[in-house]
C-alpha cells in the first residue's frame, strides 16, 4: 500500500533544498519518508493516473470523429466551432489554477474533484438536446479536463522520485500515443453502432476505475497553506488565457486578423498578462510563482514545450489533410494515418524514459530530439503530388522520433527544476504553454495554409485558362466526398495547391523548431534524485510558500 508520510524535502527542487543542512528533513518518529516506488500499490496508483490522462487525451479524438453526426442530429452548424472552443477555453484557463490549488491544499482531493467534474460534463454532454446545451456542458467537461493532466503529472512528481520518474513518464507518453491512434477509430465505431452520445458516455467506466483506484490506493500528504488564494492573479490569468485562445481560434477564420475584434482581444490579452505579472510580484501565494523561472532549466523547457506544441499540433493537423487530399487516403482511418508519427514517438518515449531511470542522465535527449524535429519537418516540406505513402511515412518517422525524445522529458526536467511544494505549478505551467503553443501553431499555420492554397488555385486555374478567380472559390479544406464531386481538372489543381500549402507550413514549422535546438544546448545536466550517487547541488529555486502536514 502506498503509505502516508511527510515527503522528504530533498524531493523538491533540482534536487530540492528543503529543510536541514544537507537538504533533507529528518522524518518524525513512526513516519515513512515517502512511498516505495517499486510497490504493487504504487504501480496500480500510476495505472490510475494513466487512465486519467487517457480520459483527457481520448475525449477530443473521439468527439472529433462524432461531430458530423452530432451536427446532423442537433443542428446548429454555425455554432460547431464553439463545441471545440468552449472545451479548449475552460481547459486552458483552469490548467494553472488546478496546479496551484493542488500545491496549496493537497493533490489527491483536487485530482478527484477534477475527475468528478469531467465525468459530470461527459454525462451531461451525452444527454444534451440542443447545440447550446452541448456547448455549455463541453465547457464544464473542459474545466475538469484542465485538472486531469496536471493532476496526474503533479501526483507522479510527488509519488515517484525523479530518478524513477523517467520510465513512468515514458509509459504515459505511450498512453497518449495510443489515445491519439485509437481515439478516431473508437469514436467512429461508437458513433456508427451505438450513437454519438456514447462518445461521451464511454468516459464513465474509465473514470469510475480511476476514481476507485485513486481513492483506495493513493495516499499523499495533506498540504496546509499559510497564504490566501490569489484571486486577482487568478482572474487576470484567466482573462489573459481566454483572450489569447480566442485570438488563435477566431483569427483568420471567424474574423480577419486585422479586425477590431482580434486586435481588441490581443490588446486585452497583453494588458491582462502585464497586470498579472505585477500582481504576482506582490501576492503572498501567487498562482504562478515567478521565482520558478529563476531556474534556467525550467525556463528553457517551458520555451521548448511552447515551441513543441506549436509544431506538433500543426503537423498533426496538416499531415492527415495532405494524405487525404493528395494521396487519396481514407478519412475514416485518420488515426491510422498518423501511425508513422505516433509509433516512433511512443517507442522513443518509453526507451528514453527507461534509459533516464537507469543512468540518471538526460541532457543529450533534448538535443537529439530537437535536431530530429526540424529535420523531419524539412523532409515533410519536400512532399508534393508525386510523393509516395512509403516516402512520406519515412519522413514522419523522423518527426515522431524527435517528438518522442521531448514529449515527457520536458515535463520531467521542469518538475526536477522546482521544489516539491511547486511541482503542481511546474506541471500546469508546462502543460499550459504547450497547449497555448499548439493553439498558436494551428491558427497561424491554418491561415498561411489557406492563403497559400487559394493563391495556388488561382494561379494554376489562370494558367489552365479557367475563368478568372475560379480557383479561389474552392475552400482551402475539403472532405473526401467534396473532392470526389470536383471536376478532374479542378481536383488536380487542388492537389497541387494542398501540396504547396503543406510545403509552406512545414517549412515554417521547421524554422520554428530550430529555436528548440538552440535552446536545448543550454539545458544543464542536474542529476536526478533517487540514484545511487549523491546528487549535485541544485540550482536556486523559488522561495518556500507553505507547509506540508502528513495525513
Amino acid at each position: 500500500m502506498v503509505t502516508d508520510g511527510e515527503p522528504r524535502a530533498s524531493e523538491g527542487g533540482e534536487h530540492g533544498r528543503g529543510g536541514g543542512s544537507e537538504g533533507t528533513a529528518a522524518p518524525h518518529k513512526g513516519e515513512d519518508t515517502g512511498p516505495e516506488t517499486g510497490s504493487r500499490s504504487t504501480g496500480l496508483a500510476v495505472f490510475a493516473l494513466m487512465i486519467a490522462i487517457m480520459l483527457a487525451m481520448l475525449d477530443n479524438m473521439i468527439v472529433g470523429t462524432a461531430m458530423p453526426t452530432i451536427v446532423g442530429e442537433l443542428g446548429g452548424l454555425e455554432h460547431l466551432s464553439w463545441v471545440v472552443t468552449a472545451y479548449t477555453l475552460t481547459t486552458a484557463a483552469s490548467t494553472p489554477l488546478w496546479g496551484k490549488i493542488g500545491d496549496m491544499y493537497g493533490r489527491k482531493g483536487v485530482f478527484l474533484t477534477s475527475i468528478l467534474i469531467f465525468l459530470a460534463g461527459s454525462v451531461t454532454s451525452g444527454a444534451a438536446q440542443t447545440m447550446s446545451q452541448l456547448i455549455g456542458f463541453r465547457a464544464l467537461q473542459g474545466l475538469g479536463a484542465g485538472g486531469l493532466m496536471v493532476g496526474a503529472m503533479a501526483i507522479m512528481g510527488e509519488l515517484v522520485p525523479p530518478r524513477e520518474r523517467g520510465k513512468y513518464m515514458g509509459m504515459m507518453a505511450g498512453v497518449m500515443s495510443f489515445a491519439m491512434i485509437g481515439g478516431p477509430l473508437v469514436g467512429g465505431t461508437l458513433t456508427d453502432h451505438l450513437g454519438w452520445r456514447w462518445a461521451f458516455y464511454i468516459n464513465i467506466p474509465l473514470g469510475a476505475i480511476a476514481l476507485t483506484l485513486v481513492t483506495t490506493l493513493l495516499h499523499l500528504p495533506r498540504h496546509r497553506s499559510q497564504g490566501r488564494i490569489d484571486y486577482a492573479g487568478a482572474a487576470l490569468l484567466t482573462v489573459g488565457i481566454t483572450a489569447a485562445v480566442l485570438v488563435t481560434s477566431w483569427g483568420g477564420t471567424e474574423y480577419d486578423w486585422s479586425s477590431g475584434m482580434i486586435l481588441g482581444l490581443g490588446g486585452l490579452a497583453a494588458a491582462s498578462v502585464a497586470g498579472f505579472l505585477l500582481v504576482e510580484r506582490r501576492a503572498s501565494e501567487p498562482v504562478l510563482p515567478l521565482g520558478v523561472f529563476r531556474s534556467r532549466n525550467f525556463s528553457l523547457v517551458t520555451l521548448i514545450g511552447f515551441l513543441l506544441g506549436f509544431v506538433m499540433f500543426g503537423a498533426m493537423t496538416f499531415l492527415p489533410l495532405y494524405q487525404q487530399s493528395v494521396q487519396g487516403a481514407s478519412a475514416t482511418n485518420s488515426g491510422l494515418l498518423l501511425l508513422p508519427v505516433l509509433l516512433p514517438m511512443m517507442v522513443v518515449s518509453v526507451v528514453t524514459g527507461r534509459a533516464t531511470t537507469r543512468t540518471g542522465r538526460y541532457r543529450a535527449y533534448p538535443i537529439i530530439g530537437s535536431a530530429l524535429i526540424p529535420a523531419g519537418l524539412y523532409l515533410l516540406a519536400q512532399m508534393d503530388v508525386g510523393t509516395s505513402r512509403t516516402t512520406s511515412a519515412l519522413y514522419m518517422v523522423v518527426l515522431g522520433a524527435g517528438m518522442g525524445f521531448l514529449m515527457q522529458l520536458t515535463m520531467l526536467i521542469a518538475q526536477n527544476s522546482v521544489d516539491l511544494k511547486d511541482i503542481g505549478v511546474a506541471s500546469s505551467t508546462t502543460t499550459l504553454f504547450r497547449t497555448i503553443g499548439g493553439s498558436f501553431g494551428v491558427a497561424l499555420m491554418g491561415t498561411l495554409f489557406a492563403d497559400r492554397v487559394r493563391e495556388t488555385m488561382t494561379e494554376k486555374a489562370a494558367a489552365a485558362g479557367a475563368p478568372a478567380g475560379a480557383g479561389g472559390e474552392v475552400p482551402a479544406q475539403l472532405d473526401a466526398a467534396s473532392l470526389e464531386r470536383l471536376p478532374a481538372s479542378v481536383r488536380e489543381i487542388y492537389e497541387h495547391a494542398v501540396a504547396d500549402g503543406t510545403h509552406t507550413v512545414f517549412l515554417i514549422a521547421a524554422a520554428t523548431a530550430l529555436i528548440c535546438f538552440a535552446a536545448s544546448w543550454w539545458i544543464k545536466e542536474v542529476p536526478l534524485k533517487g540514484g545511487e550517487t549523491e546528487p549535485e547541488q541544485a540550482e536556486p529555486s523559488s522561495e518556500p510558500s507553505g507547509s506540508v502536514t502528513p495525513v
Side-chain angles (χ1 to χ4, degrees):
M1 178 68 69
V2 181
T3 57
D4 296 338
E6 183 176 0
R8 295 166 292 185
S10 62
E11 288 186 6
E14 289 179 23
H15 292 302
R17 302 184 333 257
S21 59
E22 297 302 319
T24 305
H28 296 290
K29 183 176 180 180
E31 291 179 0
D32 294 327
T33 57
E36 296 179 6
T37 61
S39 68
R40 180 173 177 269
S41 291
T42 301
L44 289 174
V46 171
F47 175 69
L49 300 181
M50 291 184 181
I51 292 178
I53 289 177
M54 182 178 292
L55 280 173
M57 293 294 298
L58 200 60
D59 183 75
N60 261 341
M61 305 302 295
I62 290 179
V63 172
T65 309
M67 282 309 300
T69 305
I70 293 174
V71 172
E73 180 172 328
L74 298 184
L77 179 61
E78 67 276 12
H79 303 304
L80 174 62
S81 63
W82 271 105
V83 176
V84 177
T85 301
Y87 182 92
T88 304
L89 270 178
T90 53
T91 299
S94 64
T95 291
L97 303 182
W98 283 114
K100 183 59 182 178
I101 294 172
D103 285 343
M104 293 177 67
Y105 300 114
R107 296 180 228 290
K108 179 178 177 179
V110 172
F111 185 56
L112 289 172
T113 301
S114 70
I115 296 177
L116 289 172
I117 293 175
F118 181 84
L119 292 180
S122 298
V123 172
T124 51
S125 293
Q129 299 301 311
T130 66
M131 186 63 77
S132 297
Q133 290 180 5
L134 180 60
I135 291 170
F137 296 143
R138 281 285 283 168
L140 176 65
Q141 192 182 26
L143 179 64
L148 290 180
M149 186 74 74
V150 171
M153 292 298 183
I155 290 173
M156 174 71 71
E158 188 164 344
L159 189 66
V160 182
R163 180 65 181 267
E164 297 295 319
R165 210 175 296 158
K167 64 181 179 182
Y168 288 112
M169 287 193 167
M171 293 165 62
M172 285 186 172
V175 170
M176 294 180 191
S177 300
F178 173 79
M180 295 177 75
I181 295 170
L185 299 177
V186 173
T189 301
L190 289 174
T191 302
D192 290 341
H193 298 283
L194 297 177
W196 66 265
R197 298 182 187 277
W198 279 94
F200 298 102
Y201 293 153
I202 189 62
N203 295 327
I204 298 173
L206 292 175
I209 294 172
L211 280 172
T212 302
L213 292 178
V214 170
T215 301
T216 58
L217 297 177
L218 186 63
H219 300 278
L220 296 172
R222 179 178 299 163
H223 295 249
R224 292 181 181 175
S225 173
Q226 301 298 322
R228 301 174 59 185
I229 296 177
D230 177 20
Y231 291 106
L236 286 168
L237 183 61
T238 300
V239 171
I241 292 172
T242 300
V245 171
L246 286 177
V247 166
T248 58
S249 299
W250 286 350
T253 55
E254 300 288 332
Y255 302 92
D256 291 335
W257 286 103
S258 59
S259 67
M261 175 65 75
I262 297 302
L263 293 177
L265 286 171
L268 178 61
S272 299
V273 170
F276 172 76
L277 294 176
L278 291 175
V279 168
E280 295 306 274
R281 293 175 66 88
R282 301 177 181 179
S284 60
E285 194 69 55
V287 174
L288 176 55
L290 301 182
V292 297
F293 289 98
R294 295 173 188 160
S295 164
R296 184 175 72 188
N297 275 7
F298 183 84
S299 298
L300 287 171
V301 296
T302 300
L303 171 63
I304 290 173
F306 175 85
L307 296 172
L308 178 62
F310 185 97
V311 300
M312 181 178 71
F313 286 99
M316 294 300 187
T317 299
F318 295 104
L319 272 173
L321 181 61
Y322 169 84
Q323 292 175 308
Q324 294 169 28
S325 300
V326 179
Q327 295 182 327
S330 170
T332 58
N333 294 325
S334 55
L336 297 178
L337 296 177
L338 296 176
L339 276 176
V341 173
L342 298 174
L343 284 181
M345 184 174 71
M346 178 175 63
V347 171
V348 172
S349 293
V350 172
V351 171
T352 55
R354 292 188 175 277
T356 300
T357 295
R358 186 176 65 254
T359 65
R361 307 189 71 85
Y362 54 83
R363 182 174 179 269
Y365 301 138
I367 296 174
I368 297 172
S370 55
L372 288 175
I373 288 176
L377 290 168
Y378 179 78
L379 290 173
L380 291 172
Q382 309 310 307
M383 297 188 302
D384 55 28
V385 293
T387 303
S388 68
R389 292 190 188 183
T390 301
T391 300
S392 61
L394 292 175
Y395 296 164
M396 293 163 69
V397 167
V398 177
L399 175 63
M403 292 194 299
F405 279 106
L406 290 176
M407 274 291 292
Q408 296 307 309
L409 202 58
T410 52
M411 179 68 73
L412 175 61
I413 296 173
Q415 291 182 344
N416 198 49
S417 303
V418 301
D419 291 330
L420 182 62
K421 65 185 177 58
D422 287 328
I423 205 164
V425 165
S427 303
S428 63
T429 302
T430 304
T431 303
L432 174 64
F433 273 80
R434 186 179 296 178
T435 300
I436 293 178
S439 297
F440 274 102
V442 172
L444 178 59
M445 292 184 194
T447 300
L448 294 173
F449 174 83
D451 289 344
R452 185 57 186 157
V453 167
R454 292 190 179 101
E455 288 175 6
T456 304
M457 289 286 293
T458 302
E459 292 171 1
K460 290 191 174 293
E473 296 175 359
V474 179
Q477 300 185 36
L478 294 175
D479 57 26
S482 299
L483 280 174
E484 289 298 325
R485 289 195 295 268
L486 290 176
S489 59
V490 177
R491 185 165 62 245
E492 182 180 354
I493 293 174
Y494 179 74
E495 290 173 359
H496 281 88
V498 170
D500 284 351
T502 52
H503 171 80
T504 299
V505 297
F506 286 135
L507 273 185
I508 292 172
T512 303
L514 288 175
I515 303 175
C516 287
F517 181 65
S520 65
W521 284 93
W522 292 90
I523 292 176
K524 180 182 178 182
E525 180 93 79
V526 179
L528 301 173
K529 195 199 77 64
E532 298 178 357
T533 59
E534 284 295 319
E536 297 177 4
Q537 182 62 37
E539 281 190 75
S541 62
S542 56
E543 62 279 355
S545 60
S547 61
V548 179
T549 302
V551 178

